[in-house]
Amino acid sequence: MRLSKALPVLTIASLLSGCAGFVAQTVIPEPQASITQSLPPGLTTSVATADLRPGPKLGNRLNHRNEQAAISAQDLSSALNKSLQEALIAKGISIEPGRMHFTLELTQLNYKVNPEGPGQTVAVTAAMQARLDNGAEHYLGQYSTTQEQRFVTTPNEGDNTHLVNRALEATLQRCLNDPKLLNFLKGYQ
């Protein structure tokens, strides 16, 4: 008898929980990258990073009912700065003021959903530019990567964080292993 009284309450509760709406997500990426080329000892550079995008929004998520909700990323400049410094330090490069200055700028980070049949494909595109300055000499490199993944259901926050990290990591990896950038860094110490 108790179950028959509880059943309508449980049914209403489950229906109301679906009415909460499709909510926005904020991902906090922590990209990791490394330099694969060997570098001579004694290299130094100062480091700066900037997020040049117009705002934190990456795009819109989409669920199976075609409802949209924003997806944003927090603290990208700090995350890129941390990853850049860790990669440089791991190769023996000292981070200190001097002649060489390394600036990394995030120029694009987009999240696009393409609904396909019972699921969706999510594409995250990251673009960065690296500028090395040594007095009157400069090097400018531009790097971009798109990472795609197919999902049967709407990706959750963990899935989206992983996908954003993959795009940022692949782009940063390309930057840090650009032979021209590394030669510029090595040649002016």
Side-chain angles (χ1 to χ4, degrees), residues 72-92:
S72 302
Q74 270 188 342
D75 210 14
L76 288 171
S77 183
S78 295
L80 290 173
N81 193 294
K82 180 180 180 219
S83 184
L84 176 59
Q85 287 197 35
E86 287 174 354
L88 295 170
I89 291 168
K91 278 299 183 180

Side-chain angles (χ1 to χ4, degrees), residues 11-186:
T11 303
I12 290 171
S14 67
L15 288 173
L16 289 176
S17 68
C19 295
F22 189 48
V23 298
Q25 283 182 355
T26 300
V27 296
I28 304 172
E30 295 180 348
Q32 301 294 312
S34 63
I35 300 170
T36 57
Q37 187 178 23
S38 60
L39 298 172
L43 299 178
T44 62
T45 186
S46 60
V47 170
T49 55
D51 182 355
L52 300 182
R53 299 171 310 115
K57 185 177 176 183
L58 308 180
N60 288 310
R61 302 170 55 232
L62 185 69
N63 69 10
H64 65 281
R65 292 185 296 257
N66 286 328
E67 295 173 310
Q68 293 186 9
I71 180 167
S72 302
Q74 270 188 342
D75 210 14
L76 288 171
S77 183
S78 295
L80 290 173
N81 193 294
K82 180 180 180 219
S83 184
L84 176 59
Q85 287 197 35
E86 287 174 354
L88 295 170
I89 291 168
K91 278 299 183 180
I93 299 173
S94 297
I95 309 299
E96 57 188 58
R99 294 183 326 186
M100 183 66 69
H101 185 70
F102 191 140
T103 303
L104 181 69
E105 298 171 330
L106 180 66
T107 57
Q108 177 184 3
L109 188 59
N110 294 334
Y111 181 99
K112 294 195 188 289
V113 178
N114 183 20
E116 299 172 342
Q120 57 184 259
T121 299
V122 176
V124 176
T125 301
M128 300 174 192
Q129 67 180 20
R131 181 179 174 99
L132 274 71
D133 294 299
N134 187 17
E137 299 292 321
H138 309 284
Y139 176 77
L140 180 66
Q142 297 183 343
Y143 316 90
S144 65
T145 307
T146 298
Q147 295 287 321
E148 289 186 351
Q149 187 167 343
R150 174 118 174 92
F151 294 93
V152 177
T153 61
T154 304
N156 61 33
E157 191 171 320
D159 295 330
N160 285 324
T161 299
H162 179 71
L163 193 55
V164 168
N165 268 331
R166 281 183 33 214
L168 290 170
E169 287 171 353
T171 308
L172 187 56
Q173 194 72 17
R174 291 180 68 198
C175 168
L176 291 174
N177 291 286
D178 173 357
K180 291 180 182 178
L181 181 142
L182 293 173
N183 286 336
F184 186 89
L185 184 63
K186 291 188 291 188

